[in-house]
């Protein structure tokens, strides 16, 4: 494996995408595109289908037993659900969860979890990956002297950046963030947001957030979901200043939700 | 007497009554607990007092002598330890594998419900039935003869439900989020089990296994027809040999050998008790230790 600062070029197209859990619909005929190296913010109240949409993108939805879907999601024109192996999808499209969820291993072992399972055994290569990923997640300076300490000894904000580093270590093209700052204080939140903005130069980012201000701060475009439907998708400034749909306006101005 | 005073008196009486009931209930519950502890203390105390003076290095390390009325119980100790070891070898992998299947792979359908029911039933089977089953299947049908192998397999089957149940519980106590994280990092289902679930379930599995084995170590009925020898003048050379075992040896000493010093029996009982107890203590210590180290 040659170390290259790969730059994301992948284009995702979502066409008439619907999801059900058993008989309960979670997403109804969503159409949108995700462009390379943008931050796409996804906002909406609870039960709006944000997380279902996000998890559809790396096929985590398939782990739910009663999951059904219709429509198509393509990655560079190839069907995400038919033309790829689910493991390969999750390698190319990484995910950071709402809560910091380090595995009870050392910091180093957390970062190299993905690459090691993929068969990467070369020590130097793993070390390089560790440093690069931690740097990209703005955690290197704080963690470099204690890589072999348990990840649980980090603070909550550091743990979340560790989780970002762990996702980046797989060298994905697209990183999905599922409310990454919901458990963090404002300062840690600012650090994670800075990290996301820095990552934009190389990665495509999809950010689900309950914090509309966060979406306004970091996103290039924002999609507003309501009751499983995509209500509106536009440039961030348009969504927050002149949305077309009155429901979007109500939500971003805080009148509902 | 005015109504207000009467109301106060009534309330006071009621309160006294509640207080009395509370005291009686507390006393009854305490006595029940005390009786349980007392039974345990009496059994151990009796065996300790009568058996301890008989314990000696010679008793533990020499062969029986003079029609087992003298000498030691060395072959029975060795036989029991070998049985324990072999039982773990058979029961642990199978039990853990079954638990992994049931928690990580099995869907909720009629077959898996049937499997669960079968395992629950297995734990309700009386031990003497295991003995007969082992005799039929391993000793006779599989032609292992009365041997360590047949005995250990019988004990393994008896221990399996304990190990499976404990392992299932241990696997389920690993947070679901670990599995999700592992999958999101591109791990396959097996890789997830292997690297993000199993390592964190090991303490629980070990504890359950030791408890199951300690119960098996003290059983007489399952080994009665499958491995236990009345007396063998030498230690077993292979798994196809008969062996002596502590519980059966104790049974023999107590019922088949007249004019044997009583302390000899109690000494044997004490050794068996200490063996089983030390296994239980080991399980408790391990559990406490890992619980303290646990980080989630």
């Amino acid at each position: 494996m040659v170390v290259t600062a790969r730059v994301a070029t992948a284009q995702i197209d979502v066409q008439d995408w619907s999801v059900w859990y058993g008989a309960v619909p979670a997403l109804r005929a969503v159409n949108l595109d995700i462009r390379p190296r943008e931050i796409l913010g996804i906002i909406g109240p609870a039960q709006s289908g944000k997380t279902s949409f996000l998890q559809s993108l790396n096929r985590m939805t398939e782990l739910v037993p009663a999951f059904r879907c219709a429509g198509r999601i393509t990655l560079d024109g190839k069907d995400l659900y038919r033309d790829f192996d689910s493991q390969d999808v999750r390698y190319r499209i990484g995910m950071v969860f709402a809560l910091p969820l380090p595995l009870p291993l050392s910091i180093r072992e957390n970062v190299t979890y993905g690459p090691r399972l993929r068969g990467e055994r070369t020590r130097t290569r793993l070390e390089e990956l560790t440093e690069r990923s931690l740097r990209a997640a703005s955690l290197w300076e704080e963690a470099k002297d204690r890589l072999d300490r348990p990840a649980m000894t980090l603070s909550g904000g550091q743990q979340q950046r560790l989780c970002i580093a762990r996702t980046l270590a797989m060298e994905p093209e697209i990183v999905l963030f599922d409310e990454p700052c919901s458990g963090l204080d404002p300062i840690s939140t600012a650090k994670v947001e800075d990290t996301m903005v820095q990552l934009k130069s190389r990665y495509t980012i999809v950010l689900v957030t309950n914090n509309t201000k966060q979406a306004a701060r970091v996103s290039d475009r924002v999609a507003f979901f309501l009751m499983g439907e995509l209500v509106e998708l536009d440039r961030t400034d348009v969504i927050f200043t002149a949305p077309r749909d009155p429901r979007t306006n109500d939500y971003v101005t805080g009148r509902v939700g | 007497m005015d109504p207000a005073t009467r109301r106060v008196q009534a309330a006071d009486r009621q309160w006294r009554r509640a207080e009395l009931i509370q005291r009686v209930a507390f006393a009854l519950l305490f006595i029940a607990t005390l009786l349980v502890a007392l039974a345990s203390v009496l059994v151990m105390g009796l065996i300790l007092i009568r058996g301890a003076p008989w314990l000696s290095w010679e008793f533990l390390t020499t062969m029986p002598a003079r029609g087992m009325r003298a000498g030691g119980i060395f072959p029975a100790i060795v036989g029991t330890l070998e049985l324990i070891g072999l039982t773990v070898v058979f029961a642990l992998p199978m039990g853990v594998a079954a638990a992994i299947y049931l928690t990580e792979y099995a869907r909720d359908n009629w077959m898996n419900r049937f499997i669960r029911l079968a395992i629950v039933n297995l734990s309700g089977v009386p031990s003497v039935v295991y003995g007969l089953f082992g005799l039929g299947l391993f000793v006779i049908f599989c032609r292992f003869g009365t041997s360590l192998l047949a005995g250990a397999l019988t004990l393994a089957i008896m221990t399996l439900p304990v190990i499976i149940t404990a392992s299932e519980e241990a696997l389920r106590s690993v947070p679901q989020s670990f599995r999700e994280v592992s999958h999101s990092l591109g791990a396959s289902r097996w890789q997830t089990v292997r690297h993000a679930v199993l390592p964190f379930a090991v303490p629980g599995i070990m504890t359950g296994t030791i408890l199951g084995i300690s119960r098996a170590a003290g059983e007489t009925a399952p080994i009665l027809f499958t491995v236990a020898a009345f007396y063998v003048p030498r230690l077993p050379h292979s798994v196809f040999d008969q062996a002596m075992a502590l519980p059966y040896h104790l049974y023999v000493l107590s019922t088949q050998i007249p004019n044997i010093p009583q302390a000899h029996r109690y000494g044997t009982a004490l050794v068996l008790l200490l063996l089983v107890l030390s296994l239980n203590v080991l399980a408790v210590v391990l559990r406490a230790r890992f619980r303290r180290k646990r980080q989630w």
Side-chain angles (χ1 to χ4, degrees), chain A residues 60 63 87 90-91 97 101 103-105 113-114 117 150 152 166 170, chain B residues 177-178 180-188 191 195-196 200 295-296:
Chain A
M60 288 294 282
L63 300 176
Q87 282 177 257
R90 292 177 197 143
Y91 263 96
F97 292 85
L101 292 170
L103 295 169
L105 306 168
Y113 187 88
L117 289 196
M152 301 287 182
R166 183 173 63 187
M170 303 185 308
Chain B
S177 57
F178 290 12
E180 284 171 17
V181 164
S182 177
H183 279 296
S184 83
L185 293 168
S188 68
Q191 284 176 323
H195 297 282
F200 311 117
Q295 295 167 324
W296 66 87

Side-chain angles (χ1 to χ4, degrees), chain A residues 86-105:
Chain A
S86 65
Q87 282 177 257
D88 286 330
V89 168
R90 292 177 197 143
Y91 263 96
R92 293 186 63 176
I93 308 180
M95 178 159 202
V96 177
F97 292 85
L99 294 171
L101 292 170
L103 295 169
L105 306 168

Side-chain angles (χ1 to χ4, degrees), chain B residues 10-275:
Chain B
D12 191 50
R13 268 199 305 280
Q14 211 165 14
W15 187 82
R16 274 167 205 273
R17 218 177 132 234
E19 172 83 1
L20 185 70
I21 292 173
Q22 149 97 348
R23 275 168 196 272
V24 170
F26 176 79
L28 285 176
L29 295 174
F30 181 69
I31 290 170
T33 314
L34 206 63
L35 281 177
V36 173
L38 194 68
S40 164
V41 169
L42 277 181
V43 169
M44 285 191 282
L46 184 76
I47 291 175
L48 194 65
I49 288 166
R50 298 213 177 159
W54 199 256
L55 283 195
S56 67
W57 187 244
E58 196 199 349
F59 181 65
L60 296 175
T61 56
T62 58
M63 305 296 278
R66 288 203 290 115
M68 298 203 274
R69 288 181 187 84
I73 53 169
F74 184 58
I77 296 175
V78 170
T80 286
L81 291 178
E82 284 176 339
L83 268 177
I84 290 176
L86 266 182
T87 304
V88 173
V89 167
F90 293 128
L92 187 59
M94 220 199 306
V96 173
I100 289 175
Y101 171 75
L102 287 171
T103 52
E104 308 295 326
Y105 288 90
R107 304 219 169 132
D108 189 28
N109 58 28
W110 69 267
M111 197 183 82
N112 290 315
R113 278 198 292 273
F114 175 77
I115 292 176
R116 275 175 211 283
L117 191 68
I119 293 169
V120 171
N121 280 337
L122 207 57
S123 62
V125 173
S127 57
V128 67
V129 177
Y130 281 111
L132 285 171
F133 172 77
L135 173 70
L137 179 63
F138 302 124
V139 177
I140 297 169
F141 183 78
C142 297
R143 294 169 196 275
F144 295 153
T146 312
S147 62
L148 273 174
L149 183 63
L153 285 168
T154 309
L155 287 177
I157 292 180
M158 199 186 89
T159 318
L160 267 178
V162 183
I163 294 182
I164 293 175
T165 313
S167 305
E168 266 194 279
E169 210 172 295
L171 290 166
R172 274 184 223 290
S173 73
V174 176
Q176 192 59 30
S177 57
F178 290 12
R179 299 176 178 86
E180 284 171 17
V181 164
S182 177
H183 279 296
S184 83
L185 293 168
S188 68
R189 199 168 265 258
W190 169 246
Q191 284 176 323
T192 296
V193 171
R194 170 70 189 77
H195 297 282
V197 181
L198 200 53
F200 311 117
V202 164
I205 293 173
M206 273 166 63
T207 309
T209 304
I210 295 172
L211 289 178
I213 289 296
S214 87
R215 195 195 135 201
E219 283 284 355
T220 313
I223 58 172
L224 193 58
F225 318 116
T226 53
V227 48
F230 186 83
Y231 173 66
V232 207
R234 57 177 176 82
L235 297 179
H237 289 312
S238 82
V239 292
F240 293 105
D241 273 357
Q242 284 195 346
M244 295 175 73
L246 277 172
Y248 182 65
H249 188 60
L250 183 59
Y251 166 77
V252 166
L253 293 182
S254 309
T255 59
Q256 315 290 310
I257 317 276
N259 305 324
I260 181 171
Q262 211 184 31
H264 195 95
R265 292 178 196 156
Y266 279 105
T268 310
L270 183 60
V271 171
L272 177 60
L273 193 69
L274 287 178
L275 189 84

Side-chain angles (χ1 to χ4, degrees), chain A residues 117-134:
Chain A
L117 289 196
R118 199 107 235 238
E120 181 61 63
R121 291 275 179 278
T122 323
R123 189 184 246 282
T124 49
R125 166 82 183 136
L126 285 174
E127 268 171 21
E128 198 181 290
L129 260 179
T130 306
E131 175 169 350
R132 197 144 52 89
S133 311
L134 286 170

